Amino acid sequence: MNQAIHHTEIDGIPALFAYAAGPVRAGLVFRVGVADETLAGAGITHLVEHLALHRQGLADYHFNGATKAAFTHFHVEGAEHEVVAYLHGVCSSLLDLPMERLETEKEILRTEEARREPGQLPLWRYGAQGYGLSSYPEWGVRQARPDDVRHWAQSWFTRDNAVLWIAGERLPAGLSLRLPGGDRRAMPRVTSALPTAPAFFSEGQGGVLLDAVVTDTAAARMYAGVLERELSRALRQEGGYSYTAAGDYAPRRDGHATVTAFADSLPAKQDAVLGGFIDVLAGLQAGRIAQADLDAVRGRRDSALTAPDSAVRRLPGAAEDLLAHRHPRTVDELRGELWAVTPRHVHAVALEAAGTALLQTPSGHTADWAGYTAAPTRSAYAVTGKRFASVHEDGTALVVGGEGVSLTAGGDAVTVLYRDCAAVLSFPDGGRRLIGTDGICVEVEPGEYGVDAHTMATVDAAVPPGTAVQLPPRQRRPERPAAESRSRDSGPAVEQGKGAARTRRTAGQTAVLVVFGTLAGLWSLLALMYTVFGFGDPETGVGGWAALSAFLWCVGGLLAYPAVRIRRGTRKG
């Protein structure tokens, strides 16, 4: 059993090697990810990753890529010559990306994005920048130009910003990694959109979610495991409220890590799940940490560290540590830290997590009763400037000033300052959506507020360069009053009209459903009465009576068929 990770260098790139029998596994990791992008340019790293893999084509060996918050991975598993060919191909493509494939890969990314359900916790914690960008659509993909993509690749995918890891019986012969020189990039800046913590926000119906930022230690990993056990015991085994109660631990590689936890629930059990979830957190904060739970988590973690493939599984994380200027620890160091953890250390982590906790409650549920502060959905003030009242005369108004724009309703306001504007979504109908770096957004709809063309041009000229995002036509303009608009943006504005369009479509289907259903019912009643009582002249004979009865039933069935089809389509929508 060899659990050591050996350090070497290949073509100026730091390399980590661990002995392993069987197929060769390898990965090329770069210190670049979503958190290094801007909101208006979001997705460009993912686009480079796709382009770099295109020339690999279809292969019998396994390979793939992954774009994370702060790192991009290219990994492969296969025979020695296949791994060499893959790594050589990735580096060659990064030097000369296949731009003839650009528009096709954009469409593929849009398809991939349509299936993705990004979590909302990052944007509420970090805002519309840095680590918060993982909650937003990849708006930058649509308008990325070849020169933009080449410049991004040349700036970030460099020899000095990469680490290679390999697991096999030896370093592959003939391995060459030709990449341009560059700089080792610092970790992304950590931003905050939370004035106070612990905090909560209400959204969705899927259950209760939590994340907390803690110091990356063995005790913090143990806390995440104990939290998962306690949630599972309280909410599933004892309460029977949840099917899934789980936790996770994700190092940020900057000395901190994110502890996350989740518990699902049925709508009728949301109060119980929320209360039980908070009770578990409170118990850990009070120091109620069972030694048996700690030992169980420690045993599972120690088994992973002493497993025969421990070094191999630690290679990708060790590569990220190197890129983050953190020296990877040995298995003996990790085990020593693990066995030194006591309930007192886990209690300290629980208190640290309580001070940074962000809780997502189901819609309509709050957590202020448990000491959590509502995360801000409004701004502290409105700008001064030209005021445009809503054409609906509902008391809302748009204010366009020299420093930014605000929407006001009564005593509430949402404001985006030009200097803090992360992106401006621009639509062909003239509408704009300004998104601040804190995640607050303001809808600027000329038709809703009677804004003149000169004022709109002033807004466009005032936002920072590079923040404009040109989007396709919307299905319709937003009709909701400003006071009801979401101040945190979590999805593409082009999607706003879908709900209303579906409502209108369903209403039309319902009307047709009623008509066809009524006709089908009346006709079937007529057929039934004729079948039972035989309306008509007995002289027609049995054959004629049966034929007419069958005819009436067939017509009733034909009338019922559209009603059934419409009903099924309405349910699917």
Side-chain angles (χ1 to χ4, degrees):
M1 182 172 61
N2 190 340
Q3 298 170 335
I5 294 178
H6 304 278
H7 293 241
T8 184
E9 185 177 291
I10 297 176
D11 290 339
I13 297 176
L16 303 174
F17 174 80
Y19 177 85
V24 180
R25 283 162 281 180
L28 187 59
V29 188
F30 293 90
R31 220 309 288 140
V32 58
V34 178
D36 298 297
E37 302 169 345
T38 64
L39 181 56
I44 192 168
T45 307
H46 197 185
L47 183 55
V48 170
E49 175 222 309
H50 270 234
L51 288 169
L53 290 177
H54 168 65
R55 293 192 180 110
Q56 300 293 330
L58 298 176
D60 294 331
Y61 57 90
H62 173 72
F63 70 88
N64 211 336
T67 301
K68 301 169 60 178
F71 302 94
T72 299
H73 291 246
F74 297 95
H75 51 88
V76 61
E77 178 178 335
E80 185 174 303
H81 70 278
E82 293 171 332
V83 170
V84 170
Y86 170 82
L87 294 173
H88 176 76
V90 167
C91 293
S92 297
S93 290
L94 289 172
L95 287 170
D96 181 23
L97 291 171
M99 289 304 173
E100 72 280 0
R101 183 74 180 177
L102 182 60
E103 296 305 318
T104 301
E105 293 299 336
K106 286 183 179 182
E107 290 301 308
I108 292 174
L109 288 182
R110 289 178 60 192
T111 303
E112 181 180 341
E113 182 176 82
R115 297 187 294 107
R116 189 164 54 237
E117 296 183 4
Q120 302 307 300
L121 287 165
L123 80 87
W124 285 85
R125 178 176 293 281
Y126 300 109
Q129 56 184 329
Y131 289 98
L133 296 185
S134 60
S135 292
Y136 285 87
E138 294 179 335
W139 281 318
V141 169
R142 183 185 297 271
Q143 58 192 19
R145 301 168 301 178
D147 287 346
D148 299 329
V149 180
R150 289 192 188 96
H151 178 72
W152 191 260
Q154 293 167 0
S155 301
W156 292 90
F157 291 86
T158 66
R159 178 176 62 246
D160 299 289
N161 202 38
V163 169
L164 173 71
W165 63 264
I166 297 175
E169 297 181 0
R170 62 189 180 98
L171 288 173
L175 181 57
S176 177
L177 305 174
R178 293 178 55 250
L179 287 172
D183 299 316
R184 174 66 59 85
R185 299 295 187 127
M187 292 295 291
R189 184 173 63 93
V190 178
T191 59
S192 177
L194 291 178
T196 59
F200 79 94
F201 68 97
S202 299
E203 186 172 313
Q205 300 295 329
V208 179
L209 294 91
L210 167 91
D211 81 5
V213 177
V214 296
T215 306
D216 185 13
T217 62
R221 292 177 184 270
M222 298 281 280
Y223 168 76
V226 171
L227 174 60
E228 181 178 60
R229 287 176 63 86
E230 284 291 314
L231 288 173
S232 183
R233 178 186 295 118
L235 300 181
R236 175 166 178 162
Q237 295 178 354
E238 296 178 357
Y241 307 133
S242 295
Y243 173 74
T244 300
D248 191 27
Y249 185 86
R252 217 166 54 189
R253 307 295 177 187
D254 61 354
H256 292 82
T258 302
V259 174
T260 58
F262 166 73
D264 59 6
S265 69
L266 294 171
K269 299 293 183 68
Q270 288 174 351
D271 285 332
V273 170
L274 177 59
F277 198 109
I278 291 177
D279 284 345
V280 167
L281 294 173
L284 296 177
Q285 293 160 22
R288 294 197 293 270
I289 299 161
Q291 185 67 48
D293 285 337
L294 190 64
D295 290 341
V297 173
R298 189 191 339 259
R300 187 168 64 246
R301 174 68 179 157
D302 190 63
S303 295
L305 288 173
T306 56
D309 63 344
S310 168
V312 175
R313 288 188 290 104
R314 289 187 287 116
L315 281 171
E320 290 185 357
D321 277 334
L322 273 185
L323 287 167
H325 302 279
R326 292 166 59 85
H327 187 76
R329 286 165 293 176
T330 67
V331 67
D332 289 337
E333 291 172 333
L334 293 171
R335 293 191 70 202
E337 295 171 2
L338 180 68
W339 285 97
V341 174
T342 66
R344 179 174 57 84
H345 296 123
V346 176
H347 180 213
V349 176
L351 296 176
E352 182 184 13
T356 64
L358 175 61
L359 193 68
Q360 179 178 337
T361 66
S363 294
H365 294 72
T366 68
D368 47 1
W369 54 269
Y372 290 75
T373 302
T377 59
R378 296 292 183 264
S379 302
Y381 68 98
V383 299
T384 57
K386 192 172 182 179
R387 185 176 182 275
F388 299 88
S390 170
V391 298
H392 300 293
E393 299 181 353
D394 56 6
T396 64
L398 173 70
V399 182
V400 179
E403 59 176 343
V405 295
S406 297
L407 278 179
T408 63
D412 291 329
V414 288
T415 297
V416 174
L417 300 178
Y418 297 133
R419 66 173 182 269
D420 296 327
C421 184
V424 181
L425 308 187
S426 178
F427 302 96
D429 60 16
R432 303 287 187 269
R433 173 181 287 189
L434 278 68
I435 304 174
T437 54
D438 59 357
I440 299 291
C441 65
V442 172
E443 307 280 356
V444 181
E445 296 291 340
E448 294 290 315
Y449 301 97
V451 185
D452 58 272
H454 174 73
T455 300
M456 293 299 297
T458 300
V459 172
D460 289 340
V463 297
T467 56
V469 178
Q470 303 294 328
L471 291 177
R474 297 178 283 189
Q475 294 182 1
R476 68 182 184 95
R477 292 186 180 185
E479 296 175 357
R480 61 181 187 271
E484 298 177 3
S485 65
R486 291 183 59 193
S487 58
R488 297 270 179 168
D489 185 78
S490 60
V494 72
E495 297 295 320
Q496 289 179 349
K498 282 189 175 179
R502 184 180 296 115
T503 301
R504 291 195 299 272
R505 183 171 64 250
T506 303
Q509 290 173 339
T510 302
V512 178
L513 171 64
V514 171
V515 172
F516 275 98
T518 302
L519 289 175
L522 291 174
W523 200 272
S524 299
L525 178 62
L526 177 61
L528 177 64
M529 293 176 67
Y530 185 83
T531 302
V532 175
F533 298 107
F535 291 135
D537 189 349
E539 296 296 324
T540 57
V542 176
W545 171 76
L548 182 57
S549 176
F551 170 76
L552 291 174
W553 280 109
C554 288
V555 173
L558 290 174
L559 287 170
Y561 178 74
V564 173
R565 291 291 294 176
I566 292 169
R567 175 60 177 161
R568 288 179 177 174
T570 303
R571 293 180 66 184
K572 287 182 180 179

